Amino acid sequence: MFKRMSALLLAGVTVLAAAGCASGGSGGSGGADDGKITMGFSQVGAESGWRTANTKSIQDSAKTAGIELKFSDAQQKQENQIKAIRSFIQQKVDVIAFSPVVESGWDTVLKEAQNAKIPVILTDRAVDSADTSLYKTFLGSDFVEEGRKAGKWLVEEYKDSTETVNIVQLEGTTGSAPANDRRDGFAEIIKADPKFKVIASQTGDFTRAKGKEVMEAFLKSNPDIDVLYAHNDDMGLGAIEAIEGAGKVPGKDIKIITVDAVKDGMQALADGKINFIVECSPILGPQLMDLAKKVVAGEQVPQRVLTEETTFTPEQAKAALPTRPY
Ligand code: GYE
């Protein structure tokens, strides 16, 4: 009798252990014993075309990879992301991934995830935590390089001119990695020639509405704007409305550089309203799911995984548009 019972118990333990193993042996079980990986994902919000494409990529690839996704939209608020991460910890998910709205202020909650032995993957945006053991890897673009690419196009465009070039800048969300880095990369390149002057720079929070509003204010206080550098397509598209509203021709009276290369941006580029777009790929889902599987299995992954990106002129946009997936 005792023997039979202990055999049964042993069998039970083996099954449990196997389930634990399959769900990653990372401490979290995701509440399911079916061997499926559960990922908690805290998204920034739905502020731009880029973000919509990014969300779709993550949701679609979770399905394809057989990963159960708990998805939460933070509406561009850090406090909502912290709440979501805490709730993922409570639910004992196998892995947490998130795109941090701003760079600072994550150490406490990341420590909580670490203590709960739940691995964290940074997607798209970085944190400025000194302790890099708080996350397993960071998947996303090199935003400084994107800013440099924007600056290099400008330098080339005005290489024969000796006159001052008045630039206005629409920055992304204050304190976010892409806003900081795209500003710095651009500044690094244009500072080589004093004819380039950033005469106004303000956040448009990565949205079309804010981009329009801030550009209207720029136009009112600066009669002589030569160039707009917008940290994403959406703000650039909002600014185009403001420029047209002021009776000027976007792409001619004011040259426009943006970042992202989502469909609406590419259409405006093909139409000559934007002059140059630096690509930033939102299709991070497949790589994210791949990294998640490895991390949950306890495999080593590189600390940094970069996305490959290019740039587009109007001609290149015309050629790329028919097959552009987002
Ligand atoms: O460029 C912008 C979005 O973090 C790279 O966020 C992302 C940026 C993207 O709102 O459109």
Side-chain angles (χ1 to χ4, degrees):
M1 174 71 175
F2 175 76
K3 243 190 186 162
R4 255 218 347 250
M5 256 184 69
S6 55
L8 272 176
L9 260 175
L10 204 73
V13 167
T14 317
V15 168
L16 275 178
C21 235
S23 81
S26 62
S29 71
D33 284 340
D34 55 3
K36 220 178 178 186
I37 293 175
T38 303
M39 171 189 284
F41 188 91
S42 168
Q43 180 61 291
V44 169
E47 74 281 5
S48 63
W50 191 98
R51 192 63 55 196
T52 309
N54 180 246
T55 292
K56 186 172 183 312
S57 167
I58 288 160
Q59 290 173 335
D60 289 354
S61 7
K63 235 177 245 151
T64 310
I67 291 180
E68 192 190 324
L69 186 69
K70 293 180 188 291
F71 184 89
S72 167
D73 176 333
Q75 299 180 317
Q76 295 241 67
K77 291 201 178 79
Q78 182 172 33
E79 66 204 74
N80 291 345
Q81 290 202 293
I82 292 176
K83 264 189 220 146
I85 293 170
R86 291 209 164 116
S87 127
F88 295 148
I89 296 173
Q90 238 163 25
Q91 295 173 66
K92 296 189 166 50
V93 298
D94 299 299
V95 55
I96 292 172
F98 80 116
S99 175
V101 59
V102 290
E103 287 189 280
S104 308
W106 299 102
D107 287 30
T108 309
V109 74
L110 290 180
K111 196 95 213 149
E112 287 166 24
Q114 193 172 56
N115 290 342
K117 297 198 170 54
I118 301 177
V120 171
I121 300 176
L122 300 180
T123 318
D124 157 37
R125 296 187 185 178
V127 299
D128 64 4
S129 304
D131 180 0
T132 55
S133 79
L134 291 175
Y135 52 91
K136 295 283 178 212
T137 181
F138 165 34
L139 163 69
S141 312
D142 182 340
F143 300 136
V144 179
E145 191 51 35
E146 290 172 353
R148 287 191 194 116
K149 286 178 187 165
K152 282 177 189 162
W153 180 83
L154 194 65
V155 168
E156 180 60 25
E157 182 72 7
Y158 285 91
K159 67 171 188 291
D160 297 328
S161 160
T162 49
E163 281 169 42
T164 303
V165 180
N166 287 329
I167 304 160
V168 294
Q169 178 170 236
L170 281 169
E171 298 182 28
T173 302
T174 304
S176 70
N180 291 340
D181 295 352
R182 287 172 187 167
R183 182 196 55 219
D184 294 351
F186 182 73
E188 177 194 312
I189 299 299
I190 63 163
K191 76 165 186 243
D193 190 333
K195 78 179 176 213
F196 294 111
K197 289 214 163 65
V198 178
I199 55 169
S201 187
Q202 215 175 294
T203 182
D205 216 10
F206 280 131
T207 69
R208 218 175 268 216
K210 257 303 194 82
K212 181 176 182 200
E213 191 186 306
V214 177
M215 190 67 199
E216 279 167 354
F218 283 167
L219 285 160
K220 269 188 199 131
S221 44
N222 307 282
D224 193 17
I225 300 170
D226 299 308
V227 174
L228 162 68
Y229 169 42
H231 288 182
N232 78 345
D233 289 346
D234 281 84
M235 292 190 294
L237 292 164
I240 286 172
E241 290 176 32
I243 293 168
E244 286 173 338
K248 296 196 174 192
V249 184
K252 296 208 169 64
D253 295 335
I254 298 180
K255 300 222 165 116
I256 303 178
I257 313 167
T258 64
V259 186
D260 275 357
V262 294
K263 232 178 207 142
D264 291 354
M266 291 285 272
Q267 189 58 56
L269 179 62
D271 296 343
K273 295 185 177 191
I274 294 179
N275 303 79
F276 189 65
I277 300 185
V278 177
E279 186 187 37
C280 177
S281 175
I283 309 303
L284 302 179
Q287 274 173 299
L288 174 61
M289 299 311 147
D290 206 46
L291 286 166
K293 283 184 178 171
K294 289 189 174 143
V295 158
V296 169
E299 284 174 38
Q300 279 292 326
V301 291
Q303 266 269 324
R304 180 79 170 99
V305 181
L306 276 173
T307 353
E308 265 185 50
E309 283 148 0
T310 182
T311 59
F312 294 98
T313 61
E315 287 316 310
Q316 290 164 328
K318 273 180 213 154
L321 258 170
T323 53
R324 197 84 179 148
Y326 55 90

